[in-house]
């Protein structure tokens, strides 16, 4: 039986000729479990909680990137939300997300209601056009390392899209 529990995600780029044995601690907190599967395979489930699993204080509560990801990616697919970012201010959460024009208002309204009810913090959610947070060139260019990040503290710069290299 393999190990289960919590820990850090470590990656090794096996296909890099210059440094195939370098290991990178991505500082993502993860949980590994071996739950029963109807297919009878015994494979691990890795739940990635993210770098910011510790979270940021907002209106007396702690908000993590994982908390927000669950809500954002739990939105109906018809809203077309793929990219988002948030800034945890002392008294409110500010969220921006890319959504097509015809879906933006509904997606923002739904997410704001979910943040307030699930996380219990005041928030402002706005939809921006696709390509605003993550430009097309970022999605089509080749980078050695790309580490997405979406939740920022009140004093951190969040204008680098959701990517840090």
């Amino acid at each position: 039986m393999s190990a289960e529990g919590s820990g850090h995600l470590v990656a090794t780029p096996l296909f890099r000729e210059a440094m195939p044995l370098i290991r990178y601690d991505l500082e993502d907190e993860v949980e590994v479990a071996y739950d029963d599967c109807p297919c009878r395979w015994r494979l691990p489930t890795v739940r990635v909680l993210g770098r910011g699993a510790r979270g940021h204080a907002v209106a007396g509560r702690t908000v993590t990137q994982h908390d927000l990801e669950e809500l954002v990616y739990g939105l109906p697919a018809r809203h077309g939300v793929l990219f988002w970012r948030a800034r945890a201010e002392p008294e409110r959460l500010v969220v921006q997300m890319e959504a097509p024009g015809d879906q933006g208002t509904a997606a923002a309204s739904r997410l704001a209601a979910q943040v307030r009810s699930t996380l219990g913090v005041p928030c402002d959610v706005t939809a921006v056009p696709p390509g605003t947070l993550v430009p097309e060139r970022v999605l089509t260019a080749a980078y050695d390392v790309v580490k997405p990040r979406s939740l920022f503290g009140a004093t951190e710069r969040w204008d680098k899209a959701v990517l840090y290299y």
Side-chain angles (χ1 to χ4, degrees):
M1 175 160 309
S2 298
E4 293 186 67
S6 300
H8 276 228
L9 181 63
V10 177
T12 302
L14 296 176
F15 295 102
R16 300 279 306 180
E17 292 180 28
M19 52 184 164
L21 300 178
I22 300 293
R23 297 184 64 166
Y24 297 97
D25 181 352
L26 302 179
E27 298 180 18
D28 277 336
E29 293 183 31
V30 297
E31 294 175 350
V32 178
Y34 285 83
D35 297 325
D36 290 333
C37 176
C39 68
R40 296 186 181 176
W41 282 46
R42 188 92 172 127
L43 299 173
T45 300
V46 180
R47 184 173 175 221
V48 180
L49 302 173
R51 251 190 240 178
R54 295 170 300 277
H56 295 278
V58 177
R61 297 190 178 237
T62 300
V63 176
T64 69
Q65 180 165 319
H66 184 263
D67 292 335
L68 290 170
E69 283 176 349
E70 292 287 314
L71 296 177
V72 171
Y73 296 127
L75 290 170
R78 71 177 176 275
H79 291 319
V81 176
L82 296 177
F83 301 110
W84 63 278
R85 68 181 178 184
R87 187 175 54 236
E89 296 181 351
E91 297 303 321
R92 69 181 177 140
L93 185 67
V94 178
V95 181
Q96 291 181 332
M97 60 184 172
E98 291 187 1
D102 63 333
Q103 292 294 319
T105 302
S109 176
R110 185 178 190 128
L111 182 61
Q114 289 180 334
V115 167
R116 288 182 191 110
S117 68
T118 304
L119 303 180
V121 299
C123 67
D124 293 327
V125 181
T126 57
V128 297
T132 302
L133 302 180
V134 182
E136 184 178 342
R137 66 177 166 67
V138 171
L139 297 173
T140 57
Y143 296 100
D144 285 340
V145 177
V146 177
K147 176 63 184 148
R149 180 174 170 209
S150 299
L151 177 62
F152 298 84
T155 60
E156 295 179 292
R157 289 184 55 194
W158 73 335
D159 58 350
K160 294 175 90 174
V162 295
L163 302 174
Y164 277 67
Y165 309 104

